[in-house]
Amino acid sequence: MKALHVISFNYPYPPSYGGVIDVYYKIKALSDLGVKIHLHCFVNQVPEKIDPEITHITENVFFYQKKKNPFLYFSFTPFAVAIRNSVSLLHNLEKIEAPILFEGLQTTSLLSKIKSKKYALYLRLHNNEAEYYKGLSFSEKNIFKKIIYKIEAIKYGGYQKKNLKEFKSVFCLSEKEYRETEEYSENAKLIHIFHGNHQVKVLNKKGDYFLFHGDLSISDNKKALEEVIELFKGLPDHKLVVASDRASDDLKKKINSIENINLVPIETNQNLYHLLENAHANILLSFQNSGTKVKLFNSLYNSRFVIINQNITDDHSLKDLCLYGSNLQEIRQHIIDIAERDYTGSERRKTILEKSHSDESKAEEMIKVIFID
């Protein structure tokens, strides 16, 4: 019987943003292939009940509250790692003999104690955290947060070099992180993001608007939206829908003052898919080079045209399915060019995505590494 401990940085339901989307759909795909999952979650607050969607794909679920000590900012360990530290986790791991998959470096606070127990240890590397926090620092306008992110980036730089070699395999999300991990430790495996999509939707040739969607509490997304808003202010004949549940009051006021831009809540995955299905094109921009974004898969499987810049993916097969703009002028031109163009790309996407990027195929790859190697 194949069994696996999965230590998650958060409770992975609902799968509403990049990191937990990968965790949830990975667990589901592994469970569907017969792996018994013992799930360990670090949370701000222990939930009153476990969602049936999690119960159905796990054997056990354990919760550990994140530390709330602000003095941990002064630790040499990255803050996101230091707050995820629990002796109970070690005790629960010892009760069930199975390999351990850490979801992100932020779950590895007990690594030195766990490795002494001779477990087979694996890491899902969600980001090059040093580069990720450096990017957040660059995009952030609040000076205090900018400094915090910069310090966290420096801490992670040393933490990664020290610890990446401690795992039997490091499952990387992107080509860039795969190459960087190989430099440190030569144990990298490239397993692209789990996304939960199964079939490319066949849609009619025209949609009703351009769509920007994302979590607007994240500085990178806020900066990207600012650029997109400026583009559409200069394109009054083209309608933009901004989909997010976390827009600030200032941003809401700004959007409401522009006639061709509307802000709508996402609220549920069903609403997001409805928005994707009715969009003529999706505009995906990022100023952080951190692998393929989940929103790209959602857009390619469920919508029509997708316009991207260089930081949305480093996978050439995915980039070839999109319209690429190296600068805002090129992105603006793509918007103008496709506004009246029919979308006819479903069959090409189906061939590439369902063959090479299905969750099942990625779960099979992980099983071969963890349980056969």
Side-chain angles (χ1 to χ4, degrees):
M1 185 69 71
K2 298 181 180 71
L4 179 67
H5 290 289
V6 177
I7 306 176
S8 179
F9 52 87
N10 207 341
Y11 179 55
Y13 199 84
S16 56
Y17 67 92
V20 295
I21 288 171
D22 182 71
V23 175
Y24 174 75
Y25 288 111
K26 185 189 313 102
I27 291 171
K28 186 176 187 306
L30 290 168
S31 176
D32 289 345
L33 292 173
V35 179
K36 305 300 181 185
I37 303 293
H38 304 283
L39 178 62
H40 306 261
C41 306
F42 283 96
V43 292
N44 290 319
Q45 191 70 40
V46 175
E48 293 181 4
K49 63 183 181 66
I50 302 171
D51 293 278
E53 291 85 354
I54 292 292
T55 304
H56 293 158
I57 60 175
T58 58
E59 291 294 295
N60 300 291
V61 183
F62 305 94
F63 293 102
Y64 315 93
Q65 254 184 308
K66 289 185 278 187
K67 310 289 185 188
K68 295 187 168 96
N69 183 356
F71 289 103
L72 290 174
Y73 276 113
F74 302 103
S75 167
F76 289 109
T77 302
F79 180 75
V81 178
I83 62 173
R84 292 174 172 89
N85 189 324
S86 172
V87 176
S88 297
L89 169 61
L90 192 59
H91 295 329
N92 288 330
L93 292 171
E94 289 173 340
K95 292 175 186 175
I96 303 164
E97 187 174 343
I100 301 170
L101 175 64
F102 295 85
E103 290 287 348
L105 278 167
Q106 59 265 56
T107 65
T108 60
S109 182
L110 292 175
L111 182 60
S112 61
K113 294 179 181 178
I114 293 172
K115 71 180 182 181
S116 68
K117 306 289 183 181
K118 306 300 182 184
Y119 294 105
L121 306 180
Y122 300 87
L123 174 69
R124 175 50 149 177
L125 189 66
H126 285 262
N127 289 301
N128 177 329
E129 299 290 353
E131 290 297 317
Y132 175 72
Y133 279 97
K134 188 190 295 183
L136 286 181
S137 179
F138 174 76
S139 298
E140 182 58 57
K141 291 182 176 179
N142 181 294
I143 189 64
F144 178 73
K145 288 184 180 180
K146 186 181 283 286
I147 293 169
I148 291 292
Y149 292 149
K150 183 67 175 175
I151 293 171
E152 195 81 343
I154 293 168
K155 289 180 183 179
Y156 263 119
Y159 192 82
Q160 289 174 175
K161 289 180 181 179
K162 176 185 175 185
N163 290 307
L164 284 179
K165 63 181 180 294
E166 301 292 345
F167 302 93
K168 286 190 72 174
S169 290
V170 176
F171 300 109
C172 302
L173 286 169
S174 73
E175 295 277 357
K176 175 177 177 288
E177 285 147 10
Y178 169 78
R179 292 191 301 270
E180 291 166 348
T181 302
E182 278 289 274
E183 288 179 12
Y184 293 148
S185 54
E186 299 182 352
N187 60 355
K189 304 285 184 185
L190 180 59
I191 305 283
H192 287 290
I193 198 162
F194 289 76
H195 48 77
N197 295 287
H198 299 287
Q199 292 182 318
V200 173
K201 287 181 180 166
V202 179
L203 303 168
N204 55 30
K205 295 179 180 180
K206 286 278 176 63
D208 300 325
Y209 47 78
F210 290 84
L211 178 66
F212 178 101
H213 71 280
D215 182 350
L216 293 177
S217 68
I218 296 173
S219 53
D220 183 54
N221 287 339
K222 288 190 285 187
K223 182 175 181 181
L225 179 56
E226 287 174 5
E227 301 286 2
V228 173
I229 287 174
E230 289 305 310
L231 282 175
F232 277 84
K233 281 172 69 176
L235 296 167
D237 295 331
H238 298 77
K239 182 180 178 182
L240 173 69
V241 170
V242 177
S244 182
D245 295 325
R246 297 188 175 183
S248 66
D249 290 339
D250 287 345
L251 186 55
K252 289 176 183 176
K253 185 177 179 181
K254 182 175 184 178
I255 289 173
N256 289 335
S257 69
I258 306 169
E259 191 171 335
N260 62 321
I261 304 178
N262 293 325
L263 176 68
V264 299
I266 297 176
E267 294 177 341
T268 66
N269 281 343
Q270 287 74 20
N271 287 349
L272 175 59
Y273 291 138
H274 178 76
L275 288 165
L276 289 165
E277 288 168 20
N278 288 285
H280 189 61
N282 297 261
I283 302 176
L284 309 181
L285 306 184
S286 175
F287 297 94
Q288 287 186 250
N289 186 351
S290 56
T292 301
K293 308 295 189 287
V294 178
K295 66 179 76 175
L296 175 61
F297 282 111
N298 286 339
S299 299
L300 289 173
Y301 272 88
N302 300 290
S303 197
R304 296 176 183 79
F305 294 104
V306 181
I307 302 171
I308 65 170
N309 70 352
Q310 68 272 19
N311 291 327
I312 293 297
T313 184
D314 57 4
D315 184 308
H316 294 293
S317 67
L318 297 177
K319 191 176 287 187
D320 287 345
L321 297 175
C322 304
L323 297 165
Y324 170 71
S326 62
N327 55 52
L328 291 175
Q329 185 56 42
E330 290 181 7
I331 290 166
R332 184 180 188 276
Q333 193 58 51
H334 282 313
I335 293 168
I336 294 168
D337 290 344
I338 65 172
E340 301 302 323
R341 191 194 305 174
D342 289 344
Y343 172 70
T344 57
S346 296
E347 286 306 313
R348 184 162 174 256
R349 286 185 187 177
K350 186 178 179 70
T351 301
I352 292 171
L353 293 171
E354 294 179 12
K355 177 183 178 182
S356 303
H357 291 280
S358 74
D359 286 352
E360 182 180 1
S361 66
K362 284 174 274 197
E364 287 172 346
E365 287 184 62
M366 292 187 75
I367 288 171
K368 287 177 183 176
V369 173
I370 295 173
F371 296 104
I372 298 176
D373 275 7

